[in-house]
């Protein structure tokens, strides 16, 4: 099977590029651990900090989910890690409506965080394969790690980076192993809520016939199957209990919110997001 072509849409004007550069790279929010005057956001320049590794987080979503994307930009726009260069992109298949072409174009011009795949929108019919297999061809640089995440998961980037820091940079597969009670990452596969592959595995997916000939079915299960068939991912890590489903949404995979959380999945309702953001005191800079 020939690999699917991915199209990256990014044609902002020079003025927009300069504006985004000034806003996002000149200043960043001070980390939550820093002291802030009440009702004042303190800004500091963090450009002098050297990143030790890089991570691309691809949030698989749908073109029409404008509100969710804008909300997630707020969530991840105020997070950063001094030990990792973390880029967050939104990933979906080809646009099919005239209004999508206009609205998504505006997002691209303003945020430059959209990847459009050459596929028909789907959940278990090759979208995840199109995502991973296309990255080596369309990205201007490689990352140490690449993550696939759902748009109903809350990721805490600082503890995520800390958990990755000591791990191998090659042949690495990281996430929440399924079935839920399991603690053995070498049996079965990582949950689709959010799993990470090292860059060499992304490159392997792009050229191997194993994933190319097996793209239909539950996407998280397929990734684990590809890696097993190719005898890949000798370094596997399941981060439990730090990754889990929101309390009460899945009796097998959920538990109460805990301070050491890295990812909370199945946030389908605004009140669930409010609970999570309040628990982790995300807006403490303004407290």
């Amino acid at each position: 099977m020939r690999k699917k072509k991915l199209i990256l849409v990014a044609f902002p004007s020079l003025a927009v590029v300069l504006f985004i550069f000034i806003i996002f790279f000149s200043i960043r929010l001070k980390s939550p651990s820093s002291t802030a005057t009440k009702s004042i956001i303190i800004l500091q320049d963090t450009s002098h900090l050297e990143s030790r590794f890089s991570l691309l987080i691809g949030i698989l979503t749908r073109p029409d989910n404008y509100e969710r994307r804008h909300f997630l930009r707020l969530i991840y726009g105020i997070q950063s890690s001094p030990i990792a260069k973390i880029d967050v992109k939104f990933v979906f298949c080809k646009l099919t409506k005239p209004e999508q072409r206009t609205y998504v174009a505006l997002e691209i011009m303003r945020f430059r965080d959209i990847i459009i795949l050459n596929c028909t929108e789907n959940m278990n019919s090759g979208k995840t394969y199109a995502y991973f297999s296309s990255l080596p061809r369309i990205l201007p640089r490689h990352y140490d790690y690449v993550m696939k995440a759902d748009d109903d998961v809350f990721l805490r980037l600082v503890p995520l980076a800390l958990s990755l820091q000591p791990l191998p940079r090659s042949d690495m597969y990281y996430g929440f192993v399924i079935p839920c009670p399991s603690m053995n990452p070498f049996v079965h596969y990582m949950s689709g809520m959010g799993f990470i592959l090292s860059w060499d595995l992304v490159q392997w997916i792009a050229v191997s016939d194993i994933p190319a000939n097996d793209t239909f079915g539950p996407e998280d299960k397929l990734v684990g199957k590809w890696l097993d068939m190719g005898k890949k991912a000798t370094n596997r890590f399941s981060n439990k209990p730090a990754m889990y489903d929101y309390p009460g949404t899945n009796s097998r995979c959920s538990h109460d919110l805990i301070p050491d959380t890295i990812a909370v999945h199945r946030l389908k309702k605004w009140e669930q997001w409010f609970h999570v953001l309040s628990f982790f005191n995300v807006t403490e800079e303004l407290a």
Side-chain angles (χ1 to χ4, degrees):
M1 177 183 293
R2 295 179 61 86
K3 308 196 179 40
K4 298 182 180 178
K5 182 180 179 182
L6 179 148
I7 302 171
L8 176 63
V9 181
F11 301 104
S13 68
L14 178 59
V16 174
V17 172
L18 290 175
F19 177 77
I20 295 173
F21 181 86
I22 291 170
I23 294 299
F24 286 94
F25 293 89
S26 295
I27 56 175
R28 292 185 182 178
L29 284 174
K30 194 171 183 181
S31 65
S33 61
S34 304
T35 303
T37 303
K38 186 175 182 179
S39 299
I40 297 177
I41 298 178
I42 299 178
L43 302 175
Q44 68 175 6
D45 183 358
T46 59
S47 59
H48 64 285
L49 295 174
E50 182 179 355
S51 298
R52 299 183 185 177
F53 64 89
S54 56
L55 167 66
L56 171 65
I57 300 175
I59 300 176
L60 271 62
T61 183
R62 293 178 177 270
D64 288 335
N65 290 358
Y66 307 108
E67 185 177 15
R68 177 57 60 91
R69 285 196 294 278
H70 291 321
F71 175 70
L72 292 177
R73 287 186 181 107
L74 296 176
I75 296 298
Y76 297 119
I78 63 171
Q79 297 188 62
S80 63
S81 168
I83 64 171
K85 173 67 169 64
I86 303 176
D87 291 333
V88 178
K89 305 290 185 182
F90 297 97
V91 183
F92 43 80
C93 292
K94 292 183 293 186
L95 308 180
T96 58
K97 305 173 185 177
E99 59 268 29
Q100 290 175 351
R101 296 184 177 91
T102 297
Y103 298 151
V104 173
L106 289 173
E107 290 184 79
I108 292 168
M109 294 174 67
R110 177 62 180 85
F111 301 108
R112 295 175 60 86
D113 61 359
I114 302 280
I115 294 177
I116 302 179
L117 305 174
N118 186 22
C119 58
T120 301
E121 197 58 55
N122 69 88
M123 179 180 293
N124 294 316
S125 298
K127 184 176 180 179
T128 295
Y129 171 73
Y131 167 58
F132 283 118
S133 65
S134 302
L135 292 180
R137 298 197 306 273
I138 59 93
L139 290 180
R141 50 161 290 186
H142 79 268
Y143 291 81
D144 293 304
Y145 302 119
V146 174
M147 184 175 202
K148 175 268 167 187
D150 289 343
D151 67 359
D152 63 345
V153 65
F154 171 62
L155 297 169
R156 301 179 69 220
L157 300 189
V158 169
L160 174 61
L162 287 172
S163 72
L164 290 171
Q165 184 181 20
L167 301 185
R169 302 287 187 258
S170 63
D171 211 26
M172 204 278 290
Y173 182 31
Y174 169 110
F176 175 100
V177 69
I178 296 295
C180 299
S182 173
M183 299 298 289
N184 184 356
F186 290 91
V187 178
H188 300 296
Y189 57 93
M190 305 297 178
S191 165
M193 75 165 76
F195 59 86
I196 295 173
L197 300 176
S198 55
W199 183 254
D200 58 307
L201 294 181
V202 175
Q203 291 177 310
W204 174 77
I205 289 173
V207 300
S208 172
D209 289 335
I210 292 175
N213 293 324
D214 190 7
T215 62
F216 296 95
E219 48 88 17
D220 47 2
K221 188 174 183 178
L222 281 178
V223 172
K225 180 182 177 182
W226 300 339
L227 297 174
D228 288 342
M229 291 180 63
K231 295 182 173 20
K232 297 292 184 178
T234 55
N235 301 304
R236 303 191 181 196
F237 302 89
S238 178
N239 206 333
K240 294 179 179 179
M243 302 176 73
Y244 52 95
D245 288 338
Y246 182 80
T249 60
N250 185 340
S251 60
R252 298 168 298 171
C253 298
S254 64
H255 56 71
D256 290 340
L257 301 179
I258 58 174
D260 294 332
T261 292
I262 287 176
V264 185
H265 185 220
R266 295 183 183 270
L267 300 176
K268 306 290 188 183
K269 302 176 181 178
W270 288 117
E271 55 264 33
Q272 294 170 337
W273 277 102
F274 172 71
H275 179 204
V276 169
L277 298 177
S278 298
F279 181 87
F280 295 109
N281 202 11
V282 171
T283 59
E284 67 177 345
E285 289 283 358
L286 296 178

